[in-house]
Structure formats: C-alpha cells, structure tokens
Amino acid sequence: MRVLILLLLAACALAGLQTWRIDGLHDEAEEAQRIIGTLSAGIESRDNVINRLNNDAVTRERQEQSLRAQLSQAGQRARVREYTIQRLLNENQEMRDWYSASMPDGISRMHARPAFASAADYLHWLSGGNQLPDTGKLTGH
C-alpha cells in the first residue's frame, strides 16, 4: 500500500510538473504570437511605405516627363520667336534702326546697379535714395 501511495504521489507530482511545463509553453506560445503580430504589422507598414514611395516615384517621373515636354516646347517657341525677330530685322530697316539704337538714359541707369552681398545690402541701397548710376553704355536687346 505504501508503494501505491508513493506511486500516486509520484504520478501527481509528475502531472503537476507537466501542467507547469504546459503553462510555460502556453505563455511562450502567446509571447511568440504577440511577436509575430508585431512583426507582421511592421512588415505591413514597410510594404505600405514601399508602395507609397513607388507611387511617388512614378508620379515624379510623369511630372519630369511633362516638364521636359514643356521645356522642349518653350525652347521651340523661343527659336521661332528669335527666327521671327531676325527675319523682321533683316526685312525692315526701321526695325533694325530701332533695335540698334541706345536706350534712353533713365532706362539704362535702371539696368545698372552695384553688386550686393546680401538682401540687407540691397534694402540699404534702396532706402538710401541713391540716384541710379549713368552707365553711358548701350544695352543689348
């Protein structure tokens, strides 16, 4: 009978030990599930950022293509305008005379100003009420 009691006590102790180990494993499994959830959320967040950055890159590429097309069109219009001006100058003596004439003195002085190191220097120069310098130079049109 003593042996039977000892075997029962040993079986109860073993069952208790197994229950304790199962609880520990259950806690570890829950912790692993929390870690998996956190990592999954991090991966999803990273994927969202990657998708947003890819979309931004595609949008910027389209904008760049649009700007390049606009620049090309502007360059073409500038060439046409320059060609038209040159053609008019070649055809019309009055236009050539006007184009090569010097600007009035006041306008020439407006085109000339000293070099400024900063915006404060420019504001100081403006508030000084200085006369515009007389360049005496012909300005290129």
Side-chain angles (χ1 to χ4, degrees), residues 1-97:
M1 178 96 167
R2 264 182 140 175
V3 174
L4 189 58
I5 292 175
L6 283 174
L7 284 176
L8 276 175
L9 284 175
C12 286
L14 191 58
L17 179 64
Q18 290 299 326
T19 302
W20 177 72
R21 287 183 63 202
I22 289 172
D23 284 344
L25 290 175
H26 181 62
D27 291 344
E28 287 180 23
E30 286 178 355
E31 181 64 24
Q33 288 291 11
R34 280 193 294 272
I35 290 171
I36 289 171
T38 302
L39 293 175
S40 295
I43 290 170
E44 184 177 343
S45 174
R46 185 206 60 198
D47 290 346
N48 289 338
V49 168
I50 289 171
N51 289 335
R52 185 172 37 93
L53 290 174
N54 284 336
N55 291 340
D56 288 350
V58 168
T59 300
R60 286 195 177 113
E61 185 177 336
R62 287 183 188 142
Q63 290 172 342
E64 181 182 356
Q65 290 173 348
S66 174
L67 288 173
R68 287 184 188 274
Q70 290 174 9
L71 179 62
S72 175
Q73 291 171 356
Q76 180 64 29
R77 286 192 303 264
R79 284 188 293 278
V80 167
R81 184 176 57 247
E82 188 62 34
Y83 173 77
T84 302
I85 289 171
Q86 194 60 45
R87 184 178 49 80
L88 289 172
L89 287 174
N90 291 339
E91 292 175 358
N92 189 337
Q93 180 63 39
E94 184 180 332
M95 179 83 69
R96 270 194 307 270
D97 293 342

